[in-house]
Amino acid sequence: MDRTFKAISLVLSYPTRELQQAMPEIGAVLASDSRLTAAARRDLRPLVEALGTQDIYDLEEQYVLLFDRSRTLSLNLFEHVHGESRDRGQAMVSLVEMYREAGFDPVSSELPDHLPVLLEFLSTRPYAEGQDTLADAAHILEALSERLARRDSPYAAVFAALLQLSGVKADKEAVAELLEQPEVDPNDLEALDEIWEESEVRFGPDPNAGCPQVRDMLARMDEPKSDTAARAPGVAAE
């Protein structure tokens, strides 16, 4: 198992008391990974410390305001590819099938394209495969990191670390396209309703570009399938 992918999956999961108790071990994993630069490991410390020591209710509120009330900060990756279109459902069916073919059976209520679920899956795969997948999502990771940095959120360091693990630089034009999407105050419920009622939104570069392995994976995600998707599981601390 790639312990760093597993650790980041947990860090990006909804905060719980169990997660707080595991933060010393999770922090040790992240601090010891030489694939990350010393600066990247140092930048992760504030989030690790906050998750381990802050009031759990404050952590839960911060998490919801960031990731559950903003389409532009969504941890559901297909949100940034397919918006709310029918293609997204077909892609998730294919993603679930890919998980099952690899013997991965996550157990949570999160959608299969939820980043912590994907990272949990990648932690069970060869590192090169994980790198390719992250490289394909590099523009999303970069945009999320920049948006979170604007909010002075320590979560920004997580996406910067994932981008570093991908081994590539994000496409500037694709990142700029993502960053053009308007930010919405998470406390403005009327504005949030308007955003979620919008028609399909497409982000990022052409899925026919990039690494062939990931290109094939994305093509499989878009193929019509006859069976239905099961509820996708998520990540539990070991």
Side-chain angles (χ1 to χ4, degrees):
M1 173 173 285
D2 190 304
R3 299 182 71 210
T4 294
F5 283 158
K6 171 74 172 182
I8 296 177
S9 169
L10 291 169
V11 165
L12 288 176
S13 298
Y14 184 77
T16 63
R17 296 192 187 280
E18 291 76 16
L19 178 63
Q20 284 193 306
Q21 294 171 0
M23 285 316 298
E25 181 180 356
I26 293 170
V29 170
L30 297 175
S32 63
D33 192 331
S34 60
R35 293 173 298 184
L36 297 172
T37 64
R41 284 176 275 165
R42 182 181 62 247
D43 290 344
L44 287 167
R45 288 178 198 161
L47 178 59
V48 170
E49 292 174 1
L51 289 174
T53 61
Q54 285 188 7
D55 180 82
I56 187 64
Y57 299 110
D58 289 341
L59 292 172
E60 290 171 347
E61 181 181 21
Q62 292 166 18
Y63 187 93
V64 169
L65 288 174
L66 285 175
F67 301 121
D68 292 348
R69 288 196 179 180
S70 173
R71 170 172 277 175
T72 56
L73 289 177
S74 176
L75 294 180
N76 295 326
L77 295 183
F78 289 157
E79 178 71 33
H80 303 283
V81 178
H82 300 297
E84 292 300 306
S85 74
R86 185 175 302 173
D87 290 340
R88 184 181 177 192
Q90 294 292 343
M92 285 195 283
V93 170
S94 297
L95 183 57
V96 168
E97 290 185 351
M98 186 180 74
Y99 286 164
R100 288 174 175 167
E101 287 174 5
F104 178 68
D105 188 19
V107 284
S108 105
S109 59
E110 298 294 352
L111 294 170
D113 63 335
H114 194 59
L115 182 55
V117 176
L118 178 63
L119 289 170
E120 171 76 359
F121 169 69
L122 294 180
S123 75
T124 69
R125 308 298 297 166
Y127 177 57
E129 183 177 329
Q131 263 199 316
D132 287 343
T133 302
L134 293 178
D136 192 68
H139 59 296
I140 299 174
L141 300 175
E142 175 76 16
L144 287 169
S145 181
E146 288 196 28
R147 286 189 182 278
L148 288 163
R150 291 174 184 175
R151 302 187 185 205
D152 295 322
S153 170
Y155 277 102
V158 180
F159 296 93
L162 286 173
L163 186 60
Q164 194 172 113
L165 289 170
S166 76
V168 302
K169 290 186 179 296
D171 181 274
K172 292 182 178 180
E173 291 185 5
V175 173
E177 184 178 352
L178 282 166
L179 293 176
E180 285 175 1
Q181 301 301 315
E183 291 274 15
V184 177
D185 182 350
N187 293 306
D188 187 342
L189 299 183
E190 183 176 347
L192 287 170
D193 286 342
E194 291 178 0
I195 289 292
W196 288 110
E197 287 172 2
E198 288 178 355
S199 58
E200 174 187 0
V201 179
R202 291 185 178 274
F203 300 123
D206 184 344
N208 291 319
C211 171
Q213 179 180 351
V214 179
R215 185 167 63 238
D216 292 342
M217 183 183 74
L218 292 177
R220 288 183 56 208
M221 290 179 185
D222 287 332
E223 291 173 359
K225 302 290 180 180
S226 58
D227 43 334
T228 57
R231 287 182 69 81
V235 180
E238 292 185 335

